[in-house]
Structures are given as structure tokens and as C-alpha cells.
Amino acid sequence: MGKHSRPGPSNQPSRAVPRVDTDNPFAAYDKRRRPPVDIYRRHRPMHGGVGHLRPDEPRVLEEWTGFAYEPVGTAPGLAAAQQWVNELQIGGGPQRDAP
């Protein structure tokens, strides 16, 4: 078995290949528009660094637009930022605009 061979029988497709819905012509496009790791909202420390060391410092709030994360506001501390991130998850997922 070579260095880069995948385990398993050679007559089965790799599980690393994502499945695409053949009935939906926009399936590949929709998959590319999803945020990394399905995180639609995130927060970052305003002055950089790791987020858990200074919980009282202000945070930049960012939302996924379909192409990149964009800043949408600030939070006074870690607790408020985490609450803002979790609001979207409690509400039942991301809200999409109607075409």
C-alpha cells in the first residue's frame, strides 16, 4: 500500500468526496456559499489575541454574508458577544432573504 493510498476496497468511491444533489442545479453553488464549519456569526477580540484570556475587553461581531465575514457591530465583553452569537442558533438557523 502506497504512502497516499486510502484505506478500503479500490472498487468503492472515496468518502472524502462531497455528495451533490443531482436534482438541484445550484447544489454546488449553495455548498460554496455556506460558511466554514457552518458558523454564521462569530466574535473576535477588538485588539487581537486569544478570546478567552481577557473576557472584559470589547469584541467585534461578524456575520457571514455568503462570501466572507463582515463586521456588523461590537459587544462590550465576552458574555455579550456569546449571547449575540447564540441568538441566531436559538431562533432556528440563519435567515435568508427571498429572491
Coordinates of all heavy atoms in Angstrom, one line a residue:
M1 N 0.9 -1.2 0.0 CA 0.0 0.0 0.0 C 0.9 1.2 0.0 O 1.8 1.3 0.8 CB -0.9 0.0 1.2 CG -2.0 0.9 1.1 SD -3.4 0.3 2.0 CE -3.6 1.5 3.2
G2 N 0.6 2.2 -0.9 CA 1.5 3.3 -1.0 C 1.3 4.3 0.1 O 0.3 4.2 0.9
K3 N 2.1 5.3 0.1 CA 2.1 6.3 1.1 C 0.8 7.1 1.2 O 0.2 7.5 2.2 CB 3.2 7.3 1.0 CG 3.4 8.3 2.0 CD 4.6 9.2 1.8 CE 4.7 10.3 2.8 NZ 5.9 11.1 2.6
H4 N 0.2 7.4 0.0 CA -1.0 8.2 -0.1 C -2.2 7.4 -0.5 O -3.3 8.0 -0.9 CB -0.8 9.3 -1.1 CG 0.3 10.3 -0.8 ND1 0.2 11.2 0.2 CD2 1.6 10.4 -1.2 CE1 1.3 11.9 0.4 NE2 2.2 11.4 -0.5
S5 N -2.2 6.1 -0.4 CA -3.4 5.3 -0.7 C -4.4 5.4 0.5 O -4.1 5.5 1.6 CB -3.0 3.8 -0.8 OG -2.1 3.7 -1.9
R6 N -5.7 5.4 0.1 CA -6.7 5.5 1.1 C -7.0 4.0 1.5 O -6.9 3.1 0.7 CB -7.9 6.2 0.5 CG -8.7 5.5 -0.5 CD -9.9 6.2 -0.9 NE -10.7 5.4 -1.9 CZ -11.5 4.4 -1.5 NH1 -11.7 4.1 -0.3 NH2 -12.1 3.7 -2.5
P7 N -7.5 3.9 2.7 CA -7.8 2.5 3.1 C -9.2 2.1 2.5 O -10.0 2.9 2.2 CB -7.9 2.7 4.7 CG -8.2 4.1 4.9 CD -7.6 4.8 3.8
G8 N -9.3 0.8 2.4 CA -10.6 0.3 1.9 C -10.5 -0.3 0.6 O -9.5 -0.2 -0.1
P9 N -11.6 -0.9 0.1 CA -11.5 -1.6 -1.2 C -11.4 -0.5 -2.3 O -11.9 0.6 -2.2 CB -12.9 -2.3 -1.3 CG -13.4 -2.3 0.1 CD -12.8 -1.2 0.8
S10 N -10.7 -0.9 -3.4 CA -10.5 0.0 -4.5 C -11.7 0.2 -5.4 O -11.7 1.1 -6.2 CB -9.3 -0.5 -5.3 OG -9.6 -1.8 -5.9
N11 N -12.7 -0.6 -5.2 CA -13.9 -0.5 -6.1 C -15.0 0.4 -5.4 O -16.1 0.5 -6.0 CB -14.5 -1.9 -6.4 CG -14.9 -2.6 -5.2 OD1 -14.6 -2.2 -4.0 ND2 -15.7 -3.7 -5.3
Q12 N -14.7 1.0 -4.3 CA -15.7 1.9 -3.7 C -15.2 3.3 -3.8 O -14.0 3.6 -3.7 CB -15.8 1.5 -2.2 CG -16.5 0.1 -2.0 CD -16.7 -0.2 -0.5 OE1 -16.3 0.6 0.3 NE2 -17.3 -1.3 -0.2
P13 N -16.1 4.2 -3.9 CA -15.7 5.6 -4.0 C -15.2 6.2 -2.7 O -15.6 5.7 -1.6 CB -17.0 6.4 -4.4 CG -18.1 5.5 -4.0 CD -17.6 4.1 -4.1
S14 N -14.4 7.2 -2.7 CA -13.8 7.8 -1.5 C -14.9 8.5 -0.8 O -15.8 9.1 -1.4 CB -12.7 8.8 -1.9 OG -12.3 9.5 -0.8
R15 N -14.9 8.4 0.6 CA -15.9 9.1 1.4 C -15.6 10.6 1.5 O -16.3 11.3 2.1 CB -16.0 8.4 2.7 CG -16.7 7.1 2.6 CD -16.7 6.4 4.0 NE -15.3 6.1 4.3 CZ -15.0 4.8 4.7 NH1 -15.8 3.9 4.8 NH2 -13.7 4.6 5.0
A16 N -14.4 11.0 1.1 CA -14.0 12.4 1.2 C -14.6 13.3 0.2 O -14.6 14.5 0.3 CB -12.4 12.5 1.1
V17 N -15.2 12.7 -0.9 CA -15.8 13.5 -1.9 C -17.2 13.9 -1.5 O -18.0 13.0 -1.1 CB -15.9 12.6 -3.2 CG1 -16.6 13.4 -4.3 CG2 -14.5 12.2 -3.7
P18 N -17.5 15.2 -1.5 CA -18.8 15.6 -1.0 C -19.9 15.1 -2.0 O -19.7 15.1 -3.2 CB -18.7 17.1 -1.0 CG -17.6 17.5 -1.9 CD -16.7 16.3 -1.9
R19 N -21.1 14.8 -1.4 CA -22.2 14.4 -2.2 C -22.9 15.7 -2.8 O -23.1 16.7 -2.1 CB -23.2 13.6 -1.4 CG -22.5 12.5 -0.7 CD -22.7 11.2 -1.5 NE -22.2 10.1 -0.7 CZ -21.4 9.2 -1.2 NH1 -21.0 9.3 -2.4 NH2 -21.0 8.2 -0.5
V20 N -23.3 15.6 -4.0 CA -24.0 16.7 -4.6 C -25.4 16.2 -5.1 O -25.5 15.2 -5.7 CB -23.2 17.3 -5.9 CG1 -24.0 18.4 -6.6 CG2 -21.9 17.8 -5.4
D21 N -26.4 17.0 -4.8 CA -27.8 16.7 -5.1 C -27.9 16.8 -6.6 O -27.8 17.9 -7.2 CB -28.7 17.6 -4.4 CG -30.2 17.2 -4.7 OD1 -30.4 16.1 -5.2 OD2 -31.1 18.0 -4.3
T22 N -28.1 15.8 -7.4 CA -28.2 15.8 -8.8 C -29.5 16.5 -9.3 O -29.6 17.0 -10.4 CB -28.1 14.4 -9.4 OG1 -29.1 13.6 -8.9 CG2 -26.8 13.8 -9.2
D23 N -30.5 16.6 -8.5 CA -31.8 17.2 -8.9 C -31.7 18.7 -8.7 O -32.5 19.4 -9.4 CB -32.9 16.7 -8.0 CG -33.2 15.2 -8.2 OD1 -32.9 14.7 -9.3 OD2 -33.7 14.6 -7.3
N24 N -30.8 19.2 -8.0 CA -30.7 20.7 -7.7 C -29.5 21.2 -8.6 O -28.4 20.9 -8.3 CB -30.5 21.0 -6.3 CG -30.4 22.5 -6.0 OD1 -30.5 23.3 -6.9 ND2 -30.2 22.8 -4.7
P25 N -29.8 22.0 -9.6 CA -28.7 22.5 -10.4 C -27.8 23.5 -9.7 O -26.6 23.7 -10.1 CB -29.4 23.2 -11.6 CG -30.7 23.5 -11.1 CD -31.1 22.5 -10.1
F26 N -28.2 24.1 -8.6 CA -27.4 25.0 -7.8 C -26.8 24.4 -6.6 O -26.3 25.2 -5.7 CB -28.3 26.2 -7.4 CG -28.8 27.0 -8.6 CD1 -30.2 27.0 -8.9 CD2 -27.9 27.7 -9.4 CE1 -30.6 27.7 -10.0 CE2 -28.4 28.4 -10.5 CZ -29.8 28.4 -10.8
A27 N -26.8 23.1 -6.4 CA -26.3 22.5 -5.2 C -24.8 22.8 -5.0 O -24.4 23.1 -3.8 CB -26.5 20.9 -5.3
A28 N -24.0 22.7 -6.0 CA -22.6 23.0 -5.8 C -22.4 24.5 -5.4 O -21.5 24.8 -4.6 CB -21.8 22.7 -7.1
Y29 N -23.1 25.4 -6.0 CA -23.1 26.8 -5.7 C -23.5 27.1 -4.3 O -22.8 27.8 -3.5 CB -23.9 27.6 -6.7 CG -24.0 29.1 -6.4 CD1 -23.0 29.9 -6.7 CD2 -25.2 29.6 -5.8 CE1 -23.0 31.2 -6.4 CE2 -25.2 31.0 -5.5 CZ -24.2 31.8 -5.8 OH -24.2 33.1 -5.6
D30 N -24.6 26.4 -3.8 CA -25.1 26.6 -2.5 C -24.0 26.1 -1.5 O -23.8 26.7 -0.4 CB -26.4 25.9 -2.2 CG -27.5 26.6 -3.0 OD1 -27.4 27.8 -3.3 OD2 -28.5 25.9 -3.2
K31 N -23.4 25.0 -1.8 CA -22.4 24.5 -0.9 C -21.2 25.5 -0.7 O -20.7 25.6 0.4 CB -21.9 23.1 -1.4 CG -20.9 22.5 -0.4 CD -20.6 21.1 -0.9 CE -19.7 20.3 0.0 NZ -19.1 20.9 1.1
R32 N -20.8 26.1 -1.8 CA -19.7 27.1 -1.7 C -20.1 28.3 -0.9 O -19.2 29.0 -0.3 CB -19.2 27.5 -3.1 CG -18.5 26.4 -3.8 CD -17.8 27.0 -5.0 NE -18.7 27.7 -5.9 CZ -19.3 27.2 -7.0 NH1 -19.1 26.0 -7.3 NH2 -20.0 28.0 -7.7
R33 N -21.4 28.6 -0.8 CA -21.8 29.8 -0.1 C -22.0 29.6 1.4 O -22.2 30.6 2.1 CB -23.2 30.3 -0.7 CG -23.1 30.7 -2.2 CD -23.1 32.1 -2.5 NE -23.5 33.1 -1.6 CZ -24.5 33.9 -1.8 NH1 -25.1 33.9 -2.9 NH2 -24.8 34.8 -0.9
R34 N -21.9 28.4 1.8 CA -22.0 28.1 3.3 C -20.8 28.6 4.0 O -19.7 28.5 3.5 CB -22.3 26.6 3.5 CG -23.6 26.2 3.1 CD -23.9 24.7 3.3 NE -23.2 24.1 4.4 CZ -22.8 22.9 4.4 NH1 -23.0 22.1 3.4 NH2 -22.2 22.4 5.5
P35 N -20.9 29.0 5.2 CA -19.8 29.5 5.9 C -18.9 28.3 6.4 O -19.4 27.2 6.5 CB -20.4 30.2 7.2 CG -21.7 29.6 7.3 CD -22.2 29.2 6.0
P36 N -17.6 28.6 6.7 CA -16.8 27.5 7.2 C -17.4 26.9 8.5 O -17.8 27.6 9.4 CB -15.5 28.2 7.5 CG -15.5 29.5 6.7 CD -17.0 29.8 6.6
V37 N -17.4 25.6 8.6 CA -17.9 24.9 9.8 C -19.3 25.3 10.2 O -19.7 25.2 11.3 CB -16.9 25.0 10.9 CG1 -17.2 24.0 12.0 CG2 -15.5 25.0 10.5
D38 N -20.1 25.8 9.2 CA -21.5 26.3 9.4 C -21.6 27.3 10.6 O -22.6 27.2 11.4 CB -22.4 25.1 9.7 CG -22.6 24.3 8.4 OD1 -22.6 24.9 7.3 OD2 -22.9 23.1 8.4
I39 N -20.7 28.2 10.7 CA -20.8 29.2 11.8 C -21.2 30.5 11.1 O -20.4 31.1 10.3 CB -19.4 29.4 12.5 CG1 -19.1 28.1 13.2 CG2 -19.5 30.6 13.5 CD1 -17.7 28.1 13.8
Y40 N -22.4 31.0 11.3 CA -22.9 32.1 10.6 C -22.6 33.4 11.3 O -22.5 34.5 10.7 CB -24.4 32.1 10.4 CG -24.8 31.0 9.4 CD1 -25.0 29.7 9.7 CD2 -24.9 31.4 8.1 CE1 -25.3 28.8 8.8 CE2 -25.2 30.5 7.1 CZ -25.5 29.1 7.5 OH -25.8 28.2 6.5
R41 N -22.3 33.3 12.6 CA -22.0 34.5 13.4 C -20.7 34.1 14.3 O -20.6 33.0 14.8 CB -23.1 34.9 14.4 CG -24.2 35.6 13.7 CD -25.2 36.0 14.7 NE -26.2 36.9 14.2 CZ -27.2 37.4 14.9 NH1 -27.3 37.1 16.2 NH2 -28.1 38.2 14.3
R42 N -19.8 35.1 14.4 CA -18.7 34.9 15.3 C -18.2 36.2 15.9 O -18.7 37.3 15.5 CB -17.5 34.2 14.5 CG -16.9 35.1 13.5 CD -15.8 34.5 12.8 NE -15.0 35.4 11.9 CZ -14.1 35.1 11.1 NH1 -13.7 33.8 11.0 NH2 -13.5 36.0 10.4
H43 N -17.4 36.1 16.9 CA -16.9 37.3 17.6 C -15.4 37.2 17.7 O -14.8 36.1 17.8 CB -17.5 37.6 18.9 CG -17.4 36.4 19.9 ND1 -16.3 36.3 20.7 CD2 -18.1 35.4 20.2 CE1 -16.4 35.2 21.5 NE2 -17.5 34.6 21.1
R44 N -14.7 38.3 17.7 CA -13.2 38.3 17.8 C -12.9 39.5 18.7 O -13.5 40.5 18.8 CB -12.6 38.6 16.4 CG -12.9 37.6 15.4 CD -12.0 36.4 15.6 NE -12.2 35.4 14.6 CZ -12.7 34.2 14.9 NH1 -13.1 33.9 16.1 NH2 -12.9 33.3 13.9
P45 N -11.8 39.3 19.5 CA -11.3 40.4 20.4 C -10.9 41.6 19.5 O -10.4 41.5 18.4 CB -10.1 39.9 21.1 CG -10.2 38.4 21.0 CD -11.0 38.1 19.7
M46 N -11.3 42.8 19.9 CA -11.1 44.0 19.1 C -9.6 44.3 18.9 O -9.2 44.8 17.8 CB -11.7 45.2 19.8 CG -11.8 46.4 18.9 SD -12.8 47.7 19.5 CE -14.5 47.0 19.4
H47 N -8.8 44.0 19.8 CA -7.3 44.3 19.7 C -6.5 43.1 19.4 O -5.3 43.1 19.7 CB -6.9 45.0 21.0 CG -7.6 46.3 21.2 ND1 -7.5 47.4 20.4 CD2 -8.5 46.6 22.2 CE1 -8.3 48.3 20.8 NE2 -8.9 47.9 21.9
G48 N -7.1 42.0 18.9 CA -6.4 40.8 18.6 C -6.1 39.9 19.8 O -6.5 40.2 20.9
G49 N -5.5 38.8 19.5 CA -5.1 37.9 20.6 C -6.2 36.8 20.8 O -7.2 36.7 20.0
V50 N -6.0 36.0 21.8 CA -7.0 34.9 22.0 C -8.2 35.5 22.8 O -8.1 36.4 23.6 CB -6.3 33.7 22.8 CG1 -5.3 33.1 21.9 CG2 -5.7 34.2 24.1
G51 N -9.3 34.9 22.6 CA -10.6 35.5 23.1 C -10.9 35.1 24.5 O -11.6 35.9 25.2
H52 N -10.3 34.0 25.1 CA -10.7 33.6 26.4 C -9.9 34.2 27.5 O -10.3 34.1 28.7 CB -10.7 32.1 26.5 CG -9.3 31.5 26.4 ND1 -8.7 31.4 25.1 CD2 -8.4 31.1 27.3 CE1 -7.5 30.9 25.3 NE2 -7.3 30.7 26.6
L53 N -8.8 34.9 27.2 CA -7.9 35.4 28.3 C -8.4 36.7 28.9 O -8.2 37.0 30.1 CB -6.5 35.6 27.8 CG -5.8 34.3 27.5 CD1 -4.4 34.6 27.0 CD2 -5.7 33.4 28.7
R54 N -9.0 37.6 28.1 CA -9.5 38.9 28.6 C -11.0 39.0 28.3 O -11.4 39.7 27.3 CB -8.6 40.0 27.9 CG -7.2 39.9 28.2 CD -6.3 41.0 27.6 NE -6.5 41.0 26.1 CZ -5.7 40.4 25.2 NH1 -4.7 39.7 25.7 NH2 -5.9 40.5 23.9
P55 N -11.8 38.5 29.1 CA -13.3 38.5 28.8 C -13.9 39.8 29.0 O -15.0 40.0 28.5 CB -13.8 37.5 29.8 CG -12.8 37.4 31.0 CD -11.5 37.7 30.3
D56 N -13.3 40.8 29.6 CA -13.9 42.1 29.8 C -13.6 43.1 28.6 O -14.1 44.2 28.6 CB -13.4 42.7 31.1 CG -13.9 41.9 32.3 OD1 -15.0 41.2 32.1 OD2 -13.2 41.9 33.3
E57 N -12.7 42.7 27.7 CA -12.4 43.6 26.6 C -13.5 43.6 25.5 O -14.2 42.5 25.3 CB -11.1 43.2 26.0 CG -9.9 43.6 26.9 CD -8.6 43.4 26.2 OE1 -8.5 43.1 25.0 OE2 -7.6 43.6 26.9
P58 N -13.7 44.6 24.7 CA -14.7 44.7 23.7 C -14.4 43.7 22.6 O -13.3 43.3 22.3 CB -14.6 46.1 23.2 CG -13.4 46.7 23.7 CD -12.9 45.9 24.9
R59 N -15.5 43.3 21.9 CA -15.4 42.3 20.8 C -16.0 42.9 19.5 O -17.0 43.6 19.6 CB -16.2 41.0 21.2 CG -15.9 40.5 22.5 CD -14.6 39.8 22.5 NE -14.2 39.5 23.8 CZ -13.3 38.5 24.1 NH1 -12.9 37.7 23.2 NH2 -12.9 38.4 25.3
V60 N -15.5 42.4 18.4 CA -16.0 42.8 17.1 C -17.0 41.6 16.7 O -16.6 40.4 16.8 CB -14.9 42.9 16.0 CG1 -15.5 43.1 14.7 CG2 -14.0 44.0 16.4
L61 N -18.2 41.9 16.4 CA -19.2 40.9 16.0 C -19.2 40.8 14.4 O -19.3 41.8 13.7 CB -20.6 41.3 16.5 CG -20.7 41.6 18.0 CD1 -22.0 42.1 18.3 CD2 -20.3 40.4 18.8
E62 N -19.1 39.6 13.9 CA -19.0 39.4 12.5 C -20.1 38.4 12.0 O -20.4 37.4 12.7 CB -17.7 38.8 12.1 CG -16.5 39.8 12.4 CD -15.2 39.1 12.2 OE1 -15.1 37.9 12.2 OE2 -14.2 39.9 11.9
E63 N -20.7 38.7 10.8 CA -21.7 37.8 10.3 C -21.3 37.3 8.9 O -20.6 38.1 8.1 CB -23.0 38.5 10.1 CG -24.0 38.2 11.2 CD -25.4 38.8 11.0 OE1 -25.5 39.8 10.4 OE2 -26.3 38.2 11.6
W64 N -21.6 36.1 8.5 CA -21.3 35.5 7.2 C -22.3 36.1 6.2 O -23.5 36.1 6.4 CB -21.4 34.0 7.3 CG -21.1 33.4 6.0 CD1 -22.0 32.8 5.1 CD2 -19.8 33.1 5.4 NE1 -21.4 32.3 4.1 CE2 -20.0 32.5 4.2 CE3 -18.5 33.5 5.8 CZ2 -19.0 32.1 3.4 CZ3 -17.5 33.1 5.0 CH2 -17.7 32.5 3.8
T65 N -21.8 36.7 5.1 CA -22.6 37.3 4.1 C -22.9 36.3 2.9 O -23.6 36.7 1.9 CB -22.0 38.6 3.5 OG1 -20.8 38.2 2.9 CG2 -21.8 39.6 4.6
G66 N -22.3 35.2 2.9 CA -22.3 34.3 1.7 C -21.0 34.2 1.0 O -20.8 33.3 0.2
F67 N -20.2 35.2 1.3 CA -18.8 35.2 0.6 C -17.7 35.4 1.6 O -16.6 34.9 1.5 CB -18.8 36.3 -0.4 CG -19.8 36.1 -1.5 CD1 -20.9 36.8 -1.5 CD2 -19.5 35.2 -2.5 CE1 -21.8 36.7 -2.6 CE2 -20.4 35.1 -3.6 CZ -21.6 35.8 -3.6
A68 N -18.0 36.1 2.7 CA -17.0 36.4 3.7 C -17.6 36.9 5.0 O -18.8 37.2 5.0 CB -16.0 37.5 3.2
Y69 N -16.9 37.0 6.1 CA -17.4 37.5 7.3 C -17.2 39.0 7.3 O -16.2 39.5 6.9 CB -16.6 37.0 8.5 CG -16.9 35.6 8.9 CD1 -16.1 34.5 8.5 CD2 -18.1 35.3 9.6 CE1 -16.4 33.2 8.9 CE2 -18.4 34.0 9.9 CZ -17.6 32.9 9.5 OH -17.9 31.7 9.9
E70 N -18.3 39.8 7.7 CA -18.2 41.2 7.7 C -18.6 41.7 9.1 O -19.5 41.2 9.7 CB -19.2 41.8 6.7 CG -18.7 41.6 5.2 CD -19.6 42.3 4.2 OE1 -20.5 43.0 4.6 OE2 -19.4 42.1 3.0
P71 N -17.9 42.8 9.6 CA -18.2 43.3 10.9 C -19.6 43.9 10.9 O -20.0 44.6 9.9 CB -17.2 44.4 11.1 CG -16.2 44.3 10.0 CD -16.8 43.4 9.0
V72 N -20.4 43.7 11.9 CA -21.8 44.2 12.0 C -22.0 45.0 13.3 O -23.0 45.6 13.5 CB -22.9 43.1 11.8 CG1 -22.8 42.5 10.5 CG2 -22.7 42.1 12.9
G73 N -21.0 45.0 14.2 CA -21.2 45.7 15.4 C -20.1 45.3 16.4 O -19.1 44.7 16.1
T74 N -20.3 45.8 17.7 CA -19.4 45.5 18.7 C -20.1 45.1 20.0 O -21.3 45.3 20.1 CB -18.5 46.7 19.1 OG1 -19.4 47.8 19.5 CG2 -17.6 47.2 17.9
A75 N -19.4 44.4 20.9 CA -20.0 44.0 22.1 C -19.1 44.4 23.2 O -17.8 44.4 23.0 CB -20.2 42.5 22.2
P76 N -19.6 44.8 24.4 CA -18.7 45.2 25.5 C -17.8 44.2 26.1 O -16.8 44.5 26.7 CB -19.7 45.8 26.5 CG -21.0 45.1 26.3 CD -21.0 44.8 24.8
G77 N -18.2 42.9 26.0 CA -17.4 41.8 26.6 C -17.7 40.5 26.0 O -18.6 40.3 25.1
L78 N -17.1 39.5 26.5 CA -17.2 38.1 26.0 C -18.6 37.6 26.2 O -19.2 37.0 25.3 CB -16.2 37.2 26.7 CG -16.3 35.7 26.4 CD1 -16.0 35.5 24.9 CD2 -15.3 34.9 27.2
A79 N -19.2 37.8 27.4 CA -20.6 37.3 27.7 C -21.6 37.9 26.7 O -22.5 37.1 26.2 CB -21.0 37.6 29.1
A80 N -21.6 39.2 26.4 CA -22.5 39.8 25.5 C -22.3 39.3 24.1 O -23.2 39.0 23.3 CB -22.4 41.3 25.5
A81 N -21.0 39.1 23.7 CA -20.7 38.6 22.4 C -21.2 37.1 22.2 O -21.8 36.8 21.2 CB -19.2 38.6 22.1
Q82 N -21.0 36.3 23.2 CA -21.5 34.9 23.1 C -23.0 34.9 23.1 O -23.6 34.1 22.3 CB -21.0 34.1 24.3 CG -19.5 33.8 24.2 CD -19.0 33.1 25.4 OE1 -19.6 33.2 26.5 NE2 -17.9 32.4 25.3
Q83 N -23.7 35.8 23.8 CA -25.2 35.8 23.7 C -25.6 36.2 22.3 O -26.6 35.6 21.8 CB -25.7 36.8 24.7 CG -27.2 36.9 24.8 CD -27.7 38.0 25.8 OE1 -26.9 38.6 26.4 NE2 -28.9 38.1 25.9
W84 N -24.9 37.2 21.7 CA -25.3 37.6 20.3 C -25.1 36.4 19.3 O -25.9 36.2 18.5 CB -24.4 38.8 19.9 CG -24.7 39.2 18.5 CD1 -25.7 40.0 18.1 CD2 -23.9 38.9 17.4 NE1 -25.6 40.2 16.7 CE2 -24.5 39.5 16.3 CE3 -22.7 38.2 17.2 CZ2 -24.0 39.4 15.0 CZ3 -22.2 38.1 15.9 CH2 -22.8 38.7 14.8
V85 N -24.0 35.7 19.5 CA -23.8 34.5 18.6 C -24.8 33.5 18.8 O -25.3 32.9 17.8 CB -22.4 33.9 18.9 CG1 -22.2 32.6 18.2 CG2 -21.3 34.9 18.4
N86 N -25.3 33.2 20.0 CA -26.2 32.2 20.3 C -27.7 32.6 19.9 O -28.5 31.7 19.8 CB -26.2 31.8 21.7 CG -24.9 31.0 22.0 OD1 -24.3 30.4 21.1 ND2 -24.4 31.1 23.2
E87 N -28.0 33.9 19.7 CA -29.3 34.3 19.4 C -29.7 33.7 18.1 O -30.9 33.3 17.9 CB -29.4 35.8 19.2 CG -29.4 36.6 20.5 CD -29.4 38.1 20.3 OE1 -29.4 38.5 19.2 OE2 -29.4 38.8 21.3
L88 N -28.8 33.6 17.1 CA -29.2 33.1 15.8 C -29.5 31.6 15.9 O -30.4 31.1 15.2 CB -28.0 33.3 14.8 CG -28.3 32.9 13.4 CD1 -29.4 33.8 12.8 CD2 -27.0 33.1 12.5
Q89 N -28.7 30.8 16.7 CA -28.9 29.4 16.8 C -30.3 29.1 17.5 O -30.9 28.2 17.1 CB -27.8 28.8 17.6 CG -26.5 28.9 16.9 CD -25.3 28.5 17.7 OE1 -25.4 28.2 18.9 NE2 -24.1 28.5 17.2
I90 N -30.6 29.9 18.5 CA -31.9 29.6 19.2 C -33.1 29.9 18.3 O -34.1 29.3 18.3 CB -32.0 30.5 20.5 CG1 -30.9 30.0 21.4 CG2 -33.3 30.4 21.1 CD1 -30.7 30.9 22.6
G91 N -32.9 30.9 17.4 CA -34.0 31.3 16.5 C -34.3 30.4 15.4 O -35.3 30.6 14.7
G92 N -33.6 29.3 15.3 CA -33.9 28.3 14.3 C -33.1 28.4 13.0 O -33.5 28.0 11.9
G93 N -31.9 28.9 13.1 CA -31.0 28.9 11.9 C -30.9 30.2 11.2 O -31.6 31.2 11.7
P94 N -30.2 30.3 10.2 CA -30.0 31.6 9.5 C -31.2 32.0 8.8 O -31.9 31.2 8.2 CB -28.8 31.3 8.6 CG -28.9 29.9 8.3 CD -29.4 29.3 9.6
Q95 N -31.4 33.3 8.7 CA -32.5 33.9 8.0 C -32.0 34.2 6.6 O -31.0 34.9 6.4 CB -33.0 35.2 8.6 CG -33.5 34.9 10.0 CD -34.8 34.0 10.1 OE1 -35.6 34.1 9.2 NE2 -34.8 33.2 11.0
R96 N -32.7 33.8 5.5 CA -32.3 34.1 4.2 C -33.3 35.0 3.6 O -34.5 34.9 3.8 CB -32.2 32.8 3.3 CG -31.1 31.9 3.7 CD -30.9 30.9 2.7 NE -29.6 30.2 3.0 CZ -29.2 29.2 2.3 NH1 -29.9 28.8 1.3 NH2 -28.1 28.6 2.5
D97 N -32.8 35.9 2.7 CA -33.6 36.9 2.0 C -34.3 36.1 0.9 O -33.7 35.3 0.2 CB -32.8 38.0 1.5 CG -32.2 38.9 2.6 OD1 -32.8 38.9 3.7 OD2 -31.2 39.5 2.3
A98 N -35.5 36.5 0.6 CA -36.3 35.9 -0.5 C -35.7 36.5 -1.8 O -35.4 37.6 -1.9 CB -37.8 36.2 -0.4
P99 N -35.6 35.6 -2.9 CA -35.0 36.2 -4.1 C -36.0 37.1 -4.8 O -37.2 37.1 -4.6 CB -34.8 34.9 -4.9 CG -35.5 33.8 -4.3 CD -35.8 34.2 -2.9

